[in-house]
Amino acid sequence: KNQVEQSPQSLIILEGKNCTLQCNYTVSPFSNLRWYKQDTGRGPVSLTIMTFSENTKSNGRYTATLDADTKQSSLHITASQLSDSASYICVVSAHSGAGSYQLTFGKGTKLSVIP
Amino acid sequence: DVKVTQSSRYLVKRTGEKVFLECVQDMDHENMFWYRQDPGLGLRLIYFSYDVKMKEKGDIPEGYSVSREKKERFSLILESASTNQTSMYLCASGGQGLLAGVYNEQFFGPGTRLTVL
């Protein structure tokens, strides 16, 4: 069964500090991994996407890494801001035959950035 | 910019009522999805549609039905609402048919928080 596990479940950091969120997956056959940011009361918005051949991708202060061998990904946030307070969801896509795909969602990490 | 809108942000219904949640997207996407999101459980797929009048069950379809009469509109129907259907409902759209390619991003609406009393 395809699974995506995220850690920690929640995290509190001071404004200006860095943090790293983890995503471990057992999804096969792997297609891509995407990180979403979900602000409170809003729908998720894509931050980065990585395919099998990519091991790092940046989007401003967000840097995602992928180790396809160990099936792990991380999302690193640099110089955190209050606006980074949100839930971060890891989503892994698997090929499911006939050109279609299946998404497996992690439960998310809730990040709180405090002044 | 892709825009996915949902008919209501907040909705309160009584047990046994029939509930319609509507979703509209403006990007001509063929795929549309309905999820529910609950604390500690994350996003779970209820139903999806890859074309007009086509629908597929997701992971938790029980108690729900869907309708896709037009490409841009995907409705979620709770035939007889129950308290365990109190949740945040998220609609998403993305991709062109089943052959969505590797970059199969889904664009989400703002969500409808449904409370069933």
Side-chain angles (χ1 to χ4, degrees):
Chain A
K1 183 181 176 183
N2 291 337
Q3 287 188 313
V4 175
E5 300 287 340
Q6 290 188 244
S7 61
Q9 197 170 10
S10 62
L11 183 62
I12 301 174
I13 62 171
L14 291 174
E15 186 179 12
K17 297 297 186 183
N18 303 335
C19 68
T20 300
L21 314 180
Q22 299 289 343
C23 173
N24 297 339
Y25 61 93
T26 53
V27 172
S28 182
F30 178 85
S31 173
N32 62 71
L33 184 147
R34 191 182 293 272
W35 283 93
Y36 282 89
K37 178 187 179 188
Q38 185 177 20
D39 292 318
T40 302
R42 310 286 288 270
V45 175
S46 178
L47 288 174
T48 65
I49 180 175
M50 286 180 293
T51 59
F52 186 87
S53 59
E54 298 172 300
N55 56 21
T56 187
K57 184 75 71 76
S58 291
N59 178 0
R61 294 179 296 102
Y62 300 100
T63 299
T65 64
L66 174 67
D67 185 333
D69 291 331
T70 61
K71 299 187 177 180
Q72 295 180 326
S73 176
S74 65
L75 181 68
H76 185 75
I77 304 174
T78 304
S80 61
Q81 300 176 358
L82 298 178
S83 60
D84 292 330
S85 295
S87 288
Y88 293 84
I89 302 170
C90 175
V91 184
V92 182
S93 174
H95 297 291
S96 58
S100 64
Y101 61 91
Q102 181 180 27
L103 299 182
T104 303
F105 288 79
K107 295 179 182 179
T109 292
K110 184 169 184 178
L111 174 66
S112 299
V113 181
I114 59 175
Chain B
D1 281 350
V2 174
K3 194 169 183 181
V4 179
T5 57
Q6 295 183 228
S7 50
S8 305
R9 292 299 305 273
Y10 301 94
L11 209 53
V12 179
K13 295 291 183 181
R14 296 206 175 274
T15 302
E17 281 192 79
K18 190 169 186 176
V19 182
F20 292 88
L21 302 181
E22 297 214 313
C23 175
V24 177
Q25 52 98 359
D26 67 356
M27 281 301 292
D28 203 35
H29 286 151
E30 294 186 6
N31 297 330
M32 295 189 75
F33 308 81
W34 274 107
Y35 296 90
R36 64 177 283 176
Q37 185 176 35
D38 300 288
L41 296 178
L43 279 142
R44 293 180 291 168
L45 181 64
I46 303 171
Y47 267 97
F48 68 97
S49 169
Y50 55 88
D51 203 351
V52 175
K53 296 192 185 296
M54 306 302 289
K55 61 184 179 184
E56 293 285 344
K57 292 180 180 179
D59 299 320
I60 51 164
E62 297 78 19
Y64 304 94
S65 62
V66 291
S67 172
R68 184 112 180 257
E69 296 297 318
K70 293 185 178 181
K71 190 175 186 178
E72 68 272 16
R73 191 178 297 268
F74 191 35
S75 300
L76 180 69
I77 303 154
L78 288 66
E79 295 289 344
S80 177
S82 64
T83 55
N84 63 13
Q85 292 178 310
T86 292
S87 185
M88 169 70 89
Y89 290 88
L90 287 161
C91 173
S93 76
Q96 300 300 317
L98 289 175
L99 299 177
V102 69
Y103 293 103
N104 41 24
E105 179 175 0
Q106 292 188 12
F107 298 88
F108 286 85
T112 295
R113 184 165 293 282
L114 172 67
T115 302
V116 182
L117 301 176

Coordinates of all heavy atoms in Angstrom, one line a residue, chain A residues 9 31-32 34 36 38 40-46 49 51 54 57 89 93 95 98-103 105-108, chain B residues 9 31 33 35 37 40-44 59 88 90 94-95 97-111:
Chain A
Q9 N 4.9 16.3 13.2 CA 3.5 16.6 13.0 C 3.2 18.1 13.1 O 2.4 18.7 12.4 CB 2.7 15.9 14.0 CG 1.2 15.8 13.7 CD 0.5 14.8 14.7 OE1 1.1 14.4 15.7 NE2 -0.7 14.5 14.4
S31 N 6.5 8.6 -9.6 CA 6.5 9.5 -10.7 C 7.1 10.9 -10.3 O 8.0 11.3 -10.9 CB 5.0 9.7 -11.2 OG 5.0 10.8 -12.2
N32 N 6.5 11.5 -9.3 CA 7.0 12.7 -8.8 C 6.6 13.0 -7.4 O 5.7 12.4 -6.9 CB 6.6 13.9 -9.8 CG 5.1 14.1 -9.8 OD1 4.5 14.6 -8.9 ND2 4.5 13.8 -10.9
R34 N 5.6 16.3 -4.8 CA 5.3 17.7 -4.7 C 5.1 18.2 -3.3 O 4.5 17.4 -2.5 CB 4.0 18.0 -5.6 CG 3.7 19.4 -5.8 CD 2.4 19.6 -6.6 NE 2.5 19.1 -8.0 CZ 2.9 19.8 -9.0 NH1 3.3 21.0 -8.9 NH2 2.9 19.2 -10.2
Y36 N 3.2 21.0 -1.1 CA 2.1 22.1 -1.1 C 2.2 22.9 0.2 O 2.5 22.3 1.3 CB 0.7 21.5 -1.2 CG 0.3 21.0 -2.5 CD1 0.6 19.7 -3.0 CD2 -0.4 21.9 -3.4 CE1 0.1 19.3 -4.2 CE2 -0.8 21.4 -4.6 CZ -0.6 20.2 -5.1 OH -1.0 19.7 -6.3
Q38 N -0.4 25.1 2.7 CA -1.8 25.4 2.9 C -1.9 26.4 4.0 O -1.7 26.0 5.2 CB -2.6 24.1 3.2 CG -4.1 24.4 3.3 CD -4.9 23.1 3.5 OE1 -4.3 22.1 3.9 NE2 -6.2 23.1 3.2
T40 N -4.1 28.6 6.6 CA -5.3 28.3 7.4 C -6.5 28.8 6.6 O -6.6 30.0 6.2 CB -5.2 29.0 8.8 OG1 -4.1 28.5 9.5 CG2 -6.5 28.6 9.6
G41 N -7.5 28.0 6.4 CA -8.7 28.4 5.8 C -8.6 28.5 4.3 O -9.5 29.0 3.6
R42 N -7.5 28.0 3.7 CA -7.3 28.2 2.2 C -7.0 26.8 1.7 O -6.7 25.8 2.4 CB -6.2 29.1 1.9 CG -6.2 30.4 2.6 CD -7.3 31.3 2.0 NE -7.0 31.8 0.7 CZ -6.3 33.0 0.5 NH1 -5.8 33.7 1.5 NH2 -6.1 33.4 -0.7
G43 N -7.1 26.7 0.4 CA -6.7 25.4 -0.3 C -5.2 25.4 -0.5 O -4.5 26.4 -0.4
P44 N -4.6 24.2 -0.6 CA -3.2 24.0 -0.8 C -2.7 24.7 -2.1 O -3.4 24.7 -3.1 CB -3.0 22.5 -0.8 CG -4.2 21.9 -0.2 CD -5.3 22.9 -0.6
V45 N -1.5 25.2 -2.1 CA -0.8 25.8 -3.2 C 0.5 25.1 -3.4 O 1.3 24.9 -2.5 CB -0.6 27.3 -3.1 CG1 0.1 27.9 -4.2 CG2 -2.0 28.0 -2.9
S46 N 0.8 24.7 -4.7 CA 2.1 24.0 -4.9 C 3.3 24.9 -4.7 O 3.3 26.1 -5.2 CB 2.1 23.5 -6.4 OG 3.3 22.8 -6.7
I49 N 8.0 20.8 -7.3 CA 7.8 19.5 -7.8 C 9.1 18.9 -8.2 O 9.9 19.6 -8.7 CB 6.8 19.4 -8.9 CG1 6.6 17.9 -9.4 CG2 7.2 20.3 -10.1 CD1 5.6 17.7 -10.5
T51 N 10.9 15.3 -10.0 CA 10.8 14.0 -10.6 C 12.0 13.1 -10.1 O 12.9 13.6 -9.4 CB 10.8 14.1 -12.1 OG1 12.1 14.7 -12.5 CG2 9.7 14.9 -12.6
E54 N 15.6 14.5 -10.3 CA 16.0 15.7 -9.6 C 16.2 15.5 -8.2 O 15.4 14.8 -7.5 CB 14.9 16.8 -9.8 CG 14.6 17.1 -11.3 CD 13.4 18.0 -11.4 OE1 12.3 17.5 -11.1 OE2 13.5 19.1 -11.9
K57 N 15.4 21.3 -5.6 CA 14.6 22.3 -6.3 C 14.3 23.4 -5.3 O 13.8 23.2 -4.2 CB 13.3 21.7 -6.8 CG 12.4 22.6 -7.6 CD 12.9 22.8 -9.0 CE 12.8 21.5 -9.9 NZ 11.5 21.3 -10.4
I89 N 2.2 20.1 3.0 CA 1.8 18.8 2.7 C 2.7 18.2 1.6 O 2.9 18.8 0.6 CB 0.3 18.8 2.2 CG1 -0.6 19.4 3.3 CG2 -0.2 17.4 1.8 CD1 -2.0 19.7 2.8
S93 N 3.2 11.1 -6.3 CA 2.5 10.6 -7.5 C 3.1 9.3 -8.0 O 4.3 9.2 -8.1 CB 2.5 11.6 -8.6 OG 1.8 11.1 -9.7
H95 N 2.6 6.2 -11.0 CA 2.0 5.7 -12.2 C 1.0 4.6 -11.9 O 1.4 3.7 -11.1 CB 3.0 5.2 -13.2 CG 4.0 6.2 -13.7 ND1 3.6 7.3 -14.5 CD2 5.3 6.4 -13.4 CE1 4.7 8.0 -14.7 NE2 5.7 7.5 -14.1
A98 N -1.9 2.7 -17.8 CA -2.7 3.3 -18.9 C -2.5 4.8 -18.9 O -3.4 5.6 -19.3 CB -4.2 3.0 -18.8
G99 N -1.3 5.3 -18.5 CA -1.0 6.7 -18.5 C -1.6 7.5 -17.4 O -1.5 8.7 -17.4
S100 N -2.3 6.8 -16.5 CA -2.9 7.5 -15.4 C -2.0 7.5 -14.2 O -0.9 6.9 -14.2 CB -4.3 6.9 -15.0 OG -4.1 5.6 -14.6
Y101 N -2.4 8.2 -13.1 CA -1.6 8.4 -12.0 C -2.4 8.4 -10.7 O -3.6 8.6 -10.8 CB -0.8 9.7 -12.0 CG -1.6 10.9 -12.1 CD1 -2.0 11.6 -10.9 CD2 -2.0 11.4 -13.3 CE1 -2.8 12.7 -11.0 CE2 -2.8 12.5 -13.4 CZ -3.2 13.2 -12.2 OH -4.0 14.3 -12.3
Q102 N -1.8 8.1 -9.6 CA -2.5 8.1 -8.3 C -1.7 9.0 -7.4 O -0.5 8.8 -7.3 CB -2.6 6.7 -7.8 CG -3.4 6.6 -6.4 CD -3.5 5.2 -5.9 OE1 -2.6 4.4 -6.2 NE2 -4.5 4.9 -5.1
L103 N -2.4 9.8 -6.6 CA -1.7 10.7 -5.7 C -1.9 10.1 -4.3 O -3.0 9.7 -3.9 CB -2.3 12.1 -5.7 CG -2.1 12.8 -7.0 CD1 -2.7 14.2 -6.9 CD2 -0.7 12.9 -7.5
F105 N -1.3 11.4 -0.4 CA -1.0 12.6 0.4 C -0.5 12.3 1.8 O -1.0 11.4 2.4 CB -2.4 13.4 0.6 CG -2.9 14.1 -0.6 CD1 -3.5 13.4 -1.6 CD2 -2.7 15.4 -0.8 CE1 -4.0 14.0 -2.7 CE2 -3.2 16.1 -2.0 CZ -3.8 15.3 -2.9
G106 N 0.5 13.1 2.2 CA 0.9 13.0 3.6 C -0.1 13.8 4.5 O -1.0 14.5 3.9
K107 N 0.0 13.6 5.8 CA -1.0 14.3 6.7 C -0.6 15.7 7.0 O -1.3 16.5 7.6 CB -1.2 13.5 8.0 CG -1.8 12.2 7.7 CD -1.9 11.4 9.0 CE -2.6 10.0 8.7 NZ -2.7 9.1 9.9
G108 N 0.6 16.1 6.6 CA 1.0 17.5 6.7 C 1.8 17.7 8.0 O 1.7 17.0 9.0
Chain B
R9 N -18.1 29.2 1.4 CA -16.9 29.0 2.3 C -17.3 28.2 3.6 O -16.6 27.4 4.1 CB -16.3 30.3 2.7 CG -15.6 31.1 1.5 CD -14.5 30.2 0.9 NE -13.5 29.8 1.9 CZ -12.5 30.6 2.2 NH1 -12.3 31.8 1.7 NH2 -11.6 30.2 3.1
N31 N -9.6 17.0 -15.6 CA -9.7 16.3 -14.4 C -10.2 17.3 -13.3 O -9.7 18.4 -13.1 CB -8.3 15.8 -13.9 CG -7.7 14.8 -14.9 OD1 -8.5 14.1 -15.5 ND2 -6.4 14.7 -15.0
F33 N -11.5 17.0 -9.0 CA -11.5 16.1 -7.8 C -12.2 16.7 -6.6 O -12.3 18.0 -6.5 CB -10.0 16.0 -7.4 CG -9.1 15.6 -8.4 CD1 -8.6 16.5 -9.4 CD2 -8.6 14.2 -8.6 CE1 -7.7 16.1 -10.4 CE2 -7.8 13.8 -9.6 CZ -7.3 14.8 -10.5
Y35 N -12.1 16.3 -2.4 CA -11.4 15.8 -1.2 C -12.2 16.2 0.0 O -12.8 17.3 0.0 CB -10.0 16.3 -1.1 CG -9.1 15.9 -2.2 CD1 -8.9 16.7 -3.4 CD2 -8.3 14.7 -2.1 CE1 -8.1 16.3 -4.4 CE2 -7.4 14.4 -3.1 CZ -7.3 15.1 -4.2 OH -6.4 14.8 -5.2
Q37 N -11.0 17.0 4.1 CA -9.8 17.2 5.0 C -10.2 17.2 6.4 O -10.9 18.1 6.8 CB -9.0 18.4 4.5 CG -7.7 18.6 5.2 CD -6.9 19.8 4.7 OE1 -7.5 20.8 4.4 NE2 -5.6 19.7 4.7
G40 N -5.6 15.4 11.5 CA -5.0 14.1 11.8 C -5.1 13.1 10.7 O -4.5 12.0 10.7
L41 N -6.0 13.4 9.7 CA -6.2 12.4 8.6 C -5.7 12.9 7.3 O -5.5 12.1 6.3 CB -7.7 12.0 8.5 CG -8.3 11.3 9.7 CD1 -9.8 11.1 9.5 CD2 -7.6 10.0 10.0
G42 N -5.5 14.2 7.2 CA -5.0 14.7 5.9 C -6.1 14.8 4.9 O -7.3 14.7 5.1
L43 N -5.7 14.9 3.6 CA -6.6 14.9 2.5 C -7.0 13.5 2.0 O -6.1 12.7 1.8 CB -6.0 15.7 1.3 CG -6.1 17.2 1.4 CD1 -4.8 17.9 0.9 CD2 -7.2 17.7 0.6
R44 N -8.3 13.3 1.9 CA -8.7 12.0 1.4 C -9.6 12.2 0.1 O -10.5 13.0 0.2 CB -9.4 11.2 2.4 CG -8.6 10.8 3.6 CD -9.3 10.0 4.7 NE -10.3 10.9 5.4 CZ -11.2 10.5 6.2 NH1 -11.4 9.1 6.3 NH2 -12.0 11.3 6.8
D59 N -11.1 7.1 -2.5 CA -10.8 6.3 -1.4 C -12.0 6.2 -0.4 O -12.2 5.2 0.3 CB -9.6 6.7 -0.6 CG -8.4 6.7 -1.5 OD1 -8.2 5.8 -2.2 OD2 -7.6 7.7 -1.4
M88 N -13.9 19.8 6.2 CA -13.6 20.7 5.2 C -13.5 20.0 3.9 O -12.9 18.9 3.7 CB -12.2 21.3 5.5 CG -11.6 22.1 4.3 SD -12.4 23.7 4.1 CE -11.5 24.7 5.2
L90 N -12.6 20.1 -0.1 CA -11.7 20.8 -1.1 C -11.9 20.3 -2.5 O -11.9 19.1 -2.7 CB -10.3 20.7 -0.7 CG -9.8 21.5 0.5 CD1 -8.5 20.9 1.1 CD2 -9.6 23.0 0.2
G94 N -7.1 19.8 -12.6 CA -5.7 19.7 -13.1 C -5.6 18.7 -14.2 O -6.3 17.7 -14.2
G95 N -4.7 18.9 -15.1 CA -4.3 18.0 -16.1 C -5.3 17.8 -17.2 O -6.5 18.3 -17.1
G97 N -7.0 15.0 -19.0 CA -7.3 13.6 -19.2 C -6.4 12.7 -18.4 O -5.6 13.2 -17.6
L98 N -6.6 11.4 -18.5 CA -5.8 10.5 -17.8 C -4.3 10.6 -18.2 O -3.4 10.3 -17.4 CB -6.3 9.1 -18.0 CG -7.6 8.7 -17.4 CD1 -8.0 7.3 -17.9 CD2 -7.6 8.8 -15.9
L99 N -4.0 11.0 -19.4 CA -2.6 11.1 -19.8 C -2.1 12.5 -19.4 O -1.8 13.4 -20.2 CB -2.5 11.0 -21.3 CG -3.0 9.6 -21.9 CD1 -2.9 9.6 -23.4 CD2 -2.2 8.5 -21.3
A100 N -2.1 12.7 -18.1 CA -1.8 14.1 -17.6 C -0.3 14.3 -17.5 O 0.1 15.4 -17.2 CB -2.3 14.2 -16.1
G101 N 0.5 13.4 -17.9 CA 1.9 13.6 -17.9 C 2.5 13.6 -16.5 O 1.9 13.4 -15.5
V102 N 3.8 13.9 -16.4 CA 4.5 13.9 -15.2 C 4.2 15.1 -14.3 O 4.2 15.0 -13.1 CB 6.0 13.7 -15.4 CG1 6.6 15.0 -16.0 CG2 6.7 13.3 -14.1
Y103 N 3.9 16.2 -14.9 CA 3.7 17.4 -14.1 C 2.2 17.5 -13.8 O 1.5 18.5 -14.3 CB 4.2 18.6 -14.8 CG 5.7 18.6 -14.8 CD1 6.4 18.2 -16.0 CD2 6.5 18.8 -13.7 CE1 7.8 18.1 -16.0 CE2 7.9 18.7 -13.7 CZ 8.5 18.4 -14.9 OH 9.8 18.3 -15.0
N104 N 1.6 16.6 -13.0 CA 0.2 16.6 -12.8 C -0.2 17.4 -11.5 O -0.7 16.9 -10.6 CB -0.3 15.2 -12.6 CG 0.7 14.3 -11.8 OD1 1.4 14.9 -11.0 ND2 0.7 13.0 -12.0
E105 N 0.0 18.7 -11.6 CA -0.3 19.6 -10.5 C -1.8 19.7 -10.4 O -2.5 19.8 -11.4 CB 0.3 21.0 -10.7 CG -0.1 21.9 -9.6 CD 0.6 23.3 -9.7 OE1 1.4 23.5 -10.7 OE2 0.4 24.1 -8.8
Q106 N -2.3 19.7 -9.2 CA -3.7 20.0 -8.9 C -3.8 21.4 -8.3 O -3.1 21.8 -7.5 CB -4.3 19.0 -8.0 CG -4.4 17.6 -8.6 CD -5.2 16.6 -7.8 OE1 -5.8 17.0 -6.8 NE2 -5.1 15.3 -8.1
F107 N -4.8 22.1 -8.8 CA -5.1 23.5 -8.3 C -6.3 23.4 -7.4 O -7.4 22.9 -7.9 CB -5.3 24.4 -9.5 CG -4.1 24.5 -10.4 CD1 -3.9 23.7 -11.4 CD2 -3.1 25.5 -10.1 CE1 -2.7 23.7 -12.2 CE2 -2.0 25.6 -10.9 CZ -1.8 24.7 -12.0
F108 N -6.2 23.9 -6.2 CA -7.2 23.7 -5.3 C -8.1 25.0 -5.1 O -7.6 26.1 -5.2 CB -6.7 23.4 -3.9 CG -6.2 22.0 -3.8 CD1 -4.9 21.6 -4.2 CD2 -7.0 21.0 -3.3 CE1 -4.4 20.3 -4.1 CE2 -6.5 19.6 -3.2 CZ -5.2 19.3 -3.6
G109 N -9.4 24.8 -4.8 CA -10.2 25.9 -4.4 C -10.0 26.2 -3.0 O -9.2 25.6 -2.3
P110 N -10.7 27.2 -2.4 CA -10.5 27.7 -1.1 C -11.1 26.8 0.0 O -10.8 26.9 1.2 CB -11.2 29.1 -1.1 CG -12.2 29.0 -2.1 CD -11.7 28.1 -3.2
G111 N -12.0 25.9 -0.4 CA -12.6 24.9 0.6 C -13.9 25.4 1.0 O -14.2 26.6 1.1

